[in-house]
Amino acid sequence: MPGKRMNSIKNRDKYETLRDHGMSKEKAARIANTPNASRRGGKAPSYEDMTKDEVYQRARKVGVEGRSKMSKKELIHALREN
């Protein structure tokens, strides 16, 4: 049926929590439907543990504008808000 989607959220509580925190419906559904989502991640070092150049490269990769004039702290803030 065009325009109609089947409700396929596997973890409704997780989905609602993610939506309450401002995530899009699509992203919240993907995370809520991943069986081991709570066990994944956490492997990357925190931004604070990286050098300014490493943080700058991450900002460059995601397209943070004005990054060349930013301090490490400002780059970290921009990455977390992106």
Side-chain angles (χ1 to χ4, degrees), residues 14-82:
K14 182 177 276 192
Y15 173 81
E16 294 299 334
T17 300
L18 294 169
R19 289 289 293 141
D20 289 345
H21 284 101
M23 240 178 233
S24 70
K25 291 178 183 179
E26 294 81 12
K27 187 169 185 179
R30 280 196 306 270
I31 293 170
N33 287 340
T34 302
N36 61 349
S38 63
R39 293 185 294 266
R40 299 178 88 184
K43 307 260 190 289
S46 69
Y47 292 133
E48 287 78 13
D49 294 337
M50 295 179 178
T51 65
K52 181 182 178 185
D53 188 54
E54 290 170 324
V55 176
Y56 179 87
Q57 293 306 319
R58 293 271 178 113
R60 184 173 157 240
K61 186 176 182 179
V62 298
V64 173
E65 292 189 22
R67 64 187 172 270
S68 64
K69 295 180 177 90
M70 293 182 183
S71 67
K72 179 180 173 182
K73 188 174 182 177
E74 290 169 323
L75 288 166
I76 291 170
H77 178 75
L79 284 166
R80 289 189 172 141
E81 293 298 312
N82 191 353

